[in-house]
């Protein structure tokens, strides 16, 4: 809802395409002030537009992918590869990916589709024989829920926690 130069929090996100969280942060930092009108909080539309332009003027909302022009001699094996975000970063850093292992069929299919030249194994890591692969780097993040405060913190008593040992096996 808009009253004169005032705009409600919901309307800011819809009309100005500025996230609710950004407005709350600006308010918390004292960059903008809220006004109470009949129990609903409003902000000055002009003030928000001015602040937004000051912060983002000349900046593109797009990002540039950094990619080296120098190829590294280092090779990499990635475990628990997901859809390949880390592998793509390693490729952009000039590393040569030798193998990616992912159990999830959809994620593995995404890897294979986007990088057909990558050697992708879509299988349980316990079934993979690493004796035929050598690399300088082994990367990847085994599932951390078993150790995380966000999880049940059962550690190695949680099946996902035991995947750490598969990671160690691959490194050996």
């Amino acid at each position: 809802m808009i009253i004169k130069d005032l705009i409600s929090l919901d309307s800011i996100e819809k009309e100005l395409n500025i996230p609710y969280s950004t407005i709350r942060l600006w308010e918390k930092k004292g960059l903008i002030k809220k006004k109470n009108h009949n129990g609903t909080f409003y902000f000055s539309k002009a003030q928000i537009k001015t602040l937004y332009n000051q912060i983002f003027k000349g900046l593109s909302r797009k990002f540039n992918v950094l990619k080296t022009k120098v190829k590294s001699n280092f090779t990499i094996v990635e475990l628990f590869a997901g859809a390949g975000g880390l592998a793509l970063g390693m490729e952009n850093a000039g590393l040569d990916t030798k193998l990616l292992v992912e159990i999830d069929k959809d994620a593995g299919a995404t890897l294979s589709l986007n990088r057909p030249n990558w050697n992708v194994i879509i299988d349980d890591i316990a079934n993979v024989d690493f004796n035929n692969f050598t690399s300088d780097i082994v990367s990847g993040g085994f599932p951390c829920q078993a150790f995380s405060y966000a999880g049940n913190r059962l550690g190695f008593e949680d099946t996902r926690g035991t995947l750490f040992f598969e990671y160690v096996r691959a490194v050996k």
Side-chain angles (χ1 to χ4, degrees):
M1 176 179 234
I2 301 171
I3 301 172
K4 293 184 186 176
D5 183 44
L6 299 179
I7 185 168
S8 69
L9 201 52
D10 291 339
S11 296
I12 292 170
E13 193 158 13
K14 291 174 190 168
E15 186 180 323
L16 302 178
N17 199 27
I18 300 173
Y20 171 90
S21 57
T22 300
I23 299 300
R24 300 298 287 179
L25 179 65
W26 290 350
E27 178 199 359
K28 187 176 181 180
K29 288 184 172 187
L31 300 172
I32 58 174
K33 301 218 183 291
K34 65 183 175 187
K35 298 172 184 178
N36 189 344
H37 181 73
N38 295 334
T40 302
F41 291 108
Y42 293 90
F43 297 87
S44 165
K45 189 174 180 179
Q47 189 180 33
I48 289 172
K49 283 184 173 182
T50 300
L51 182 59
Y52 184 85
N53 288 333
Q54 286 173 347
I55 293 172
F56 295 106
K57 186 177 182 181
L59 294 179
S60 170
R61 288 189 156 259
K62 296 180 182 178
F63 59 91
N64 294 325
V65 174
L66 300 176
K67 189 171 183 178
T68 185
K69 293 178 182 168
V70 179
K71 196 76 170 151
S72 170
N73 291 326
F74 291 111
T75 59
I76 187 166
V77 166
E78 185 173 335
L79 312 175
F80 313 102
L86 178 60
L88 184 59
M90 295 292 192
E91 178 184 80
N92 289 345
L95 299 169
D96 182 24
T97 303
K98 292 294 181 189
L99 173 69
L100 296 111
V101 180
E102 174 56 45
I103 193 171
D104 183 272
K105 290 176 179 31
D106 293 329
T110 299
L111 280 168
S112 297
L113 179 67
N114 289 330
R115 290 292 189 273
N117 58 321
W118 282 353
N119 182 12
V120 178
I121 296 177
I122 305 170
D123 197 355
D124 186 327
I125 192 170
N127 299 330
V128 178
D129 179 6
F130 293 102
N131 291 319
N132 298 325
F133 298 98
T134 59
S135 72
D136 301 298
I137 300 167
V138 177
S139 72
F142 69 93
C144 64
Q145 298 91 332
F147 303 96
S148 171
Y149 283 109
N152 293 330
R153 294 178 283 170
L154 296 175
F156 297 123
E157 293 174 18
D158 182 328
T159 306
R160 295 171 294 189
T162 62
L163 291 171
F164 168 78
F165 298 111
E166 292 298 331
Y167 195 102
V168 170
R169 181 178 66 84
V171 169
K172 282 183 181 180

